[in-house]
Amino acid sequence: NLVSRLKIWDIRSTPSKACMLTVNDAHTNDINVISWNKMEPLIVSGGDDGYLKIWDLRQFKVCIIEQYY
């Protein structure tokens, strides 16, 4: 499922090298929200699978998973 894939792009790079990181199964269903933390290297993703995931961009691993319904 393409909409459960999480990708991080660097818009400063050339298009062929802009995709920096990819997680193919970031959620088990559609991802419908992403938020970037300006102070820390973290992003939050939320999906129709009912989970919020906080990703540490230094390792690109989930550091916190919370079920919201």
Side-chain angles (χ1 to χ4, degrees):
N1 189 352
L2 291 178
V3 290
S4 65
R5 184 179 298 163
L6 181 62
K7 290 187 172 193
I8 303 297
W9 298 83
D10 184 345
I11 61 171
R12 302 168 295 183
S13 297
T14 60
S16 63
K17 297 180 181 180
C19 184
M20 299 286 122
L21 303 164
T22 301
V23 176
N24 288 325
D25 294 316
H27 287 266
T28 59
N29 212 324
D30 296 350
I31 296 172
N32 50 33
V33 65
I34 283 231
S35 183
W36 187 277
N37 185 312
K38 295 178 184 178
M39 304 302 285
E40 299 289 333
L42 303 170
I43 61 170
V44 176
S45 64
D48 286 342
D49 58 2
Y51 287 93
L52 290 173
K53 295 184 179 183
I54 299 176
W55 300 82
D56 184 333
L57 295 178
R58 293 168 291 201
Q59 302 170 5
F60 208 56
K61 292 184 178 180
V62 175
C63 55
I64 297 174
I65 300 174
E66 289 289 328
Q67 190 170 14
Y68 59 90
Y69 67 79

